[in-house]
């Protein structure tokens, strides 16, 4: 038996709205990975349109979490960070990565800052600068196209994109210092949406049919399934395809159900098939 993988998940806990830790922990668990939560803040909901949310900042506790875990001699197979609330938090995450990382730790940075050409509430342009430095510490980064534009000081354009534009963006992102990149929200034609990846083997694309609408939390769902699949030994390309399919299924299910997209997507119903796809359970089908 191989050892159980362990990941440090550095994200906020938004109680309602299905993003950050409330989706990342169950999806890492579904991949068989032990998920250790390093909460950056506690909110009643995400900041994406529900209004009136509570916010308790945990910046002052973050480094102590990292130091305590280090003192316990814990080995982390992955360190995965996402939405961060200030320049200071980004700097602290960089310190925690250096504190907890071993030779074989996979560092995944999702530079959550913006989507559809707009910064999330509470994200400042100064944070985008700092996020570039965090990306340099990562083995894999997972920006969407808006975040890629911010990281590269370029203007955001809504798609569809030509392959050469996407590959130029991926090559420019690589100069930030991270070898493996998964760019999300990539649409090469009107009817599809997916991801484009770059690694030492070149460029890869994956896509699914586009579902109309903006669904909250899908970036966190994509990045946590990607991280889980990578930890289970899938290549970057395979992992991105698994994450694309899983996210598409959740969005389609939610669109059919007609729930408020600010309430997040029904990813829970996809967990059994994700477990099968990651080879963690004998298939009961055929
Ligand atoms: O899904 C990214 C995210 C995470 N956490 C909080 C957010 C958002 C996006 O808006 O508001 C608190």
């Amino acid at each position: 038996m191989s050892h159980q993988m362990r990941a440090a998940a550095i994200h906020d806990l938004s109680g309602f709205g299905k993003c950050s830790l409330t989706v990342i922990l169950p999806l890492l668990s579904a991949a068989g990975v032990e998920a250790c939560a390093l909460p950056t803040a506690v909110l009643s909901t995400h900041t994406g349109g529900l209004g009136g949310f509570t916010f308790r900042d945990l910046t002052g506790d973050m480094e102590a979490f990292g130091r305590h875990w280090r003192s316990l001699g814990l080995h982390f197979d992955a360190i995965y960070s996402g939405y961060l609330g200030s320049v200071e938090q980004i700097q602290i995450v960089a310190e925690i990565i250096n504190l907890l990382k071993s030779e074989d730790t996979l560092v995944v940075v999702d530079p959550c800052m913006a989507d559809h050409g707009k910064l999330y509430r509470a994200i400042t342009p100064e944070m985008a600068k700092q996020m570039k430095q965090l990306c340099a510490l990562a083995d894999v980064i997972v920006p969407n196209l808006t975040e890629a534009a911010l990281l590269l000081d370029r203007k955001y354009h809504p798609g569809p994109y030509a392959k050469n534009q996407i590959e130029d963006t991926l090559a420019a992102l690589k100069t930030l210092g991270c070898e493996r990149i998964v760019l999300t929200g990539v649409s090469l034609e009107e009817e599809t949406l997916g991801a484009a990846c770059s690694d030492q083997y070149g460029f890869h694309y994956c896509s699914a049919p586009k579902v109309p609408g903006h669904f909250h939390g899908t970036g966190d769902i994509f990045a946590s399934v990607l991280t889980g699949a990578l930890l289970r030994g899938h290549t970057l390309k395979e992992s991105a395809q698994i994450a694309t399919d899983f996210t598409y299924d959740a969005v389609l299910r939610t669109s059919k159900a007609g729930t408020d997209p600010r309430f997040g997507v029904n990813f829970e119903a996809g967990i059994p098939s994700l477990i099968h796809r990651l080879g963690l359970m004998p298939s009961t089908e055929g």
Side-chain angles (χ1 to χ4, degrees), residues 81-273:
S81 74
Y83 181 92
L84 296 167
S86 62
V87 167
E88 191 187 354
Q89 283 199 345
I90 302 175
Q91 288 164 340
I92 293 171
V93 171
E95 283 164 29
I96 291 171
I97 290 171
N98 288 324
L99 202 62
L100 297 181
K101 183 179 152 68
S102 321
E103 276 289 89
D104 59 350
T105 303
L106 178 76
V107 177
V108 180
V109 170
D110 185 352
C112 291
M113 295 184 288
D115 207 358
H116 310 292
K118 270 189 67 182
L119 288 178
Y120 294 143
R121 232 185 112 159
I123 304 288
T124 61
E126 182 61 23
M127 289 171 67
K129 268 199 207 151
Q130 203 65 39
M131 196 57 98
K132 287 185 203 180
Q133 290 174 30
L134 191 60
C135 288
L137 298 182
D139 298 300
V140 180
I141 57 170
V142 197
N144 61 37
L145 278 154
T146 309
E147 290 153 352
L150 281 168
L151 292 169
L152 298 173
D153 303 307
R154 293 182 177 179
K155 222 169 126 52
Y156 167 77
H157 298 285
Y161 294 82
K163 272 193 175 175
N164 69 333
Q165 292 172 300
I166 294 296
E167 289 168 17
D168 172 72
T169 301
L170 286 166
L173 286 167
K174 199 170 158 180
T175 67
L176 295 176
C178 175
E179 177 80 27
R180 294 194 279 169
I181 299 150
V182 182
L183 188 59
T184 63
V186 172
S187 192
L188 294 176
E189 63 236 336
E190 285 291 351
E191 318 74 54
T192 65
L193 188 62
C197 326
S198 111
D199 61 10
Q200 72 268 42
Y201 306 109
F203 300 113
H204 320 283
Y205 291 87
C206 31
S207 69
K210 191 185 277 180
V211 180
H214 293 333
F215 295 85
H216 207 90
T218 51
D220 293 335
I221 289 172
F222 181 96
S224 37
V225 173
L226 178 90
T227 303
L230 286 170
L231 288 175
R232 297 239 63 95
H234 290 278
T235 64
L236 192 69
K237 182 184 176 194
E238 288 164 355
S239 301
Q241 188 63 57
I242 293 169
T244 299
D245 295 344
F246 183 84
T247 308
Y248 165 69
D249 287 344
V251 166
L252 183 64
R253 194 180 292 124
T254 306
S255 170
K256 283 183 178 158
T259 48
D260 187 331
R262 297 174 304 171
F263 290 8
V265 298
N266 179 359
F267 71 94
E268 295 90 339
I271 287 178
S273 57

Side-chain angles (χ1 to χ4, degrees), residues 64-82:
F65 266 64
R67 294 210 176 276
H68 187 207
W69 289 355
R70 189 184 155 100
S71 78
L72 296 173
L74 301 175
H75 174 267
F76 291 95
D77 298 284
I79 301 171
Y80 161 33
S81 74

Side-chain angles (χ1 to χ4, degrees), residues 12 14 19-20 43 45-48 83 112 120-121 216-217 219-220:
D12 65 275
S14 292
C19 71
S20 49
L43 297 85
T45 70
H46 57 66
T47 65
Y83 181 92
C112 291
Y120 294 143
R121 232 185 112 159
H216 207 90
D220 293 335

